[in-house]
Amino acid sequence: MAGPPSSKRQRTADPALATSRIEGLTTDLLLRVMSNLDARLAVQICVLFPCFRDLWRSLPCINATCEEFEDDEGIVNEVSFKAFINRFLARRESVGIDRFRLCYSIVGGPGTDLEACYVDANDWIRHALEHDARIVELENHSEPLELDPDVFTSKCLETLHIGNATLVEGFFEQLEHGCPGLKDLVLTNCMITDHEISSPTLELLTVQEELGFVHDDRLVSISAPSLKFFTFAKNDGVRLPSLINMASLEKAWILIPDDIEDVNASDIKQFLKGLSGVTRLTFYYGHRKVSTQ
């Protein structure tokens, strides 16, 4: 009796063939593929194939994500995560880093040494910048991460995205002088103690969500003469900043809730004055939208 048609046969994968195909890929292609994986997974895959067992040491993009260390209940094993990242960075080849993404989780609570958590994270960022990272993305959960301004010294840094962090006094002054090539800055859910955000090189600036300015009631100013695109989403308890020296601004996207108590006419007037030169403005006040082309 003839066997079933080939379309209905159950095909079994040939491990040797799959291994041969993977090992036949070029090193550049493998580095590109594994740069999209979490660091821990990249190491695990490398260990499976002897011919590129140490390839992870040369990854140009590092995704240091704590989610790889979650248990069945979604709780991150912080000790294991920090130990892994410390070993990973210490054993890398002395090659440049193009992008460094840190997804961290500081749970806090009794017995948590927050200062030690801050030191570890700042050391990892310093390592990336010392290896010429162009892009640094910090995504933090739970307790805010306190960033050390002195870490941010790099002529190569172009893009910096920060989520859920405390930016102490002097942070933006350090960015201005220590990172002269910075063009793209995103601040999400950050606490700021500076009175001025100033940069002659920024072209894109995003300030959004639960951002707060921790100081007296004096207005915070934003000065960015090279800025082309500005995104700002205001929340209750945060005064509108004063926008000065925005000569290059072309596009702006603004969201101001209409149910907050601390927005007054003078604040809105000075804020809109700083946007007067834009060629395209999208402005939300609550559910009302004003858009110009």
Side-chain angles (χ1 to χ4, degrees), residues 3-14:
S6 59
S7 59
K8 295 183 180 179
R9 284 184 189 148
Q10 186 114 25
R11 296 182 181 179
T12 29
D14 184 344

Side-chain angles (χ1 to χ4, degrees), residues 165-203:
T166 299
L167 310 180
V168 299
E169 189 171 354
F171 181 83
F172 292 99
E173 182 179 2
Q174 176 61 29
L175 273 189
E176 181 177 358
H177 297 101
C179 301
L182 187 63
K183 296 179 180 179
D184 180 2
L185 178 62
V186 175
L187 305 175
T188 304
N189 194 22
C190 291
M191 301 298 292
I192 296 173
T193 60
D194 276 325
H195 286 96
E196 181 181 12
I197 300 175
S198 175
S199 171
T201 60
L202 275 183
E203 296 180 3

Side-chain angles (χ1 to χ4, degrees), residues 38-39 63-69 81 85 101-104:
D38 291 339
N63 297 299
T65 54
C66 63
E67 285 133 352
E68 284 287 291
F69 293 82
F81 172 66
I85 298 302
R101 175 175 174 262
L102 171 61
C103 180
Y104 201 19

Side-chain angles (χ1 to χ4, degrees), residues 86-102:
N86 285 331
R87 288 196 306 270
F88 182 94
L89 296 180
R91 297 179 64 186
R92 286 187 74 251
E93 299 289 348
S94 185
V95 297
I97 296 174
D98 185 57
R99 178 174 61 85
F100 178 72
R101 175 175 174 262
L102 171 61

